[in-house]
Amino acid sequence: MVDFREKVAWTPELKKLLAPAMAHDPLNSICALEHDVAEGICSVVVGYERQKIVLAFVTRIDVGEFGKELVIVAGASQGHGNTKKSVPVFVALARKYGCEYIRIHTRLKALGRILYSQGFEFSEMVLRKQV
């Protein structure tokens, strides 16, 4: 069973866990993420098993054309099945903060399939070409 804790302080251990998730993001970096957490723009949720960190994700609240959205900015996991375990936590956080939607951007097709199987819908496709 994973014990989730919200608004966990940023640590070197979290930075090491989340850094690979940010390595190929052209719009964000682990340092920018660390800054946003320190400034209160984003917050960290950590999942523990037997007092050991097994997953973490960073969230923020956006307000836009669809109302309030809980945005999962970055996430990382050690172990199998932790994304599915996190989805109910995403929903609970969205409800807690009055969000109408949860938004997750990913380049990982496997993650997209997992989220789709958990009731998420595709809402956009982004393509890029270097010139």
Side-chain angles (χ1 to χ4, degrees):
M1 181 172 156
V2 178
D3 174 33
F4 289 91
R5 298 182 198 157
E6 185 184 358
K7 297 189 178 181
V8 174
W10 189 265
T11 65
E13 182 180 14
L14 286 174
K15 185 174 184 174
K16 183 178 178 181
L17 177 65
L18 290 163
M22 304 303 295
H24 302 291
D25 187 334
L27 302 177
N28 214 342
S29 70
I30 192 66
C31 292
L33 198 61
E34 182 175 21
H35 174 267
D36 288 351
V37 170
E39 293 294 315
I41 297 165
C42 294
S43 64
V44 181
V45 178
V46 175
Y48 297 88
E49 276 185 346
R50 295 186 233 19
Q51 305 303 326
K52 181 180 181 258
I53 294 175
V54 294
L55 66 94
F57 55 91
V58 178
T59 65
R60 75 168 185 262
I61 306 294
D62 281 358
V63 180
E65 64 181 297
F66 295 111
K68 286 175 79 175
E69 292 183 299
L70 176 72
V71 180
I72 309 304
V73 179
S77 171
Q78 297 174 339
H80 183 71
N82 286 330
T83 299
K84 287 182 181 179
K85 292 175 187 174
S86 298
V87 170
V89 178
F90 299 163
V91 172
L93 289 171
R95 288 185 176 142
K96 178 179 178 178
Y97 294 109
C99 297
E100 299 170 62
Y101 291 93
I102 301 166
R103 187 173 80 230
I104 302 172
H105 293 257
T106 184
R107 295 176 61 193
L108 305 174
K109 289 180 184 178
L111 179 56
R113 286 190 297 273
I114 291 168
L115 293 170
Y116 187 77
S117 76
Q118 298 295 303
F120 284 77
E121 298 175 354
F122 291 98
S123 66
E124 66 181 50
M125 184 183 308
V126 177
L127 295 107
R128 177 175 285 119
K129 176 180 173 114
Q130 186 173 2
V131 294

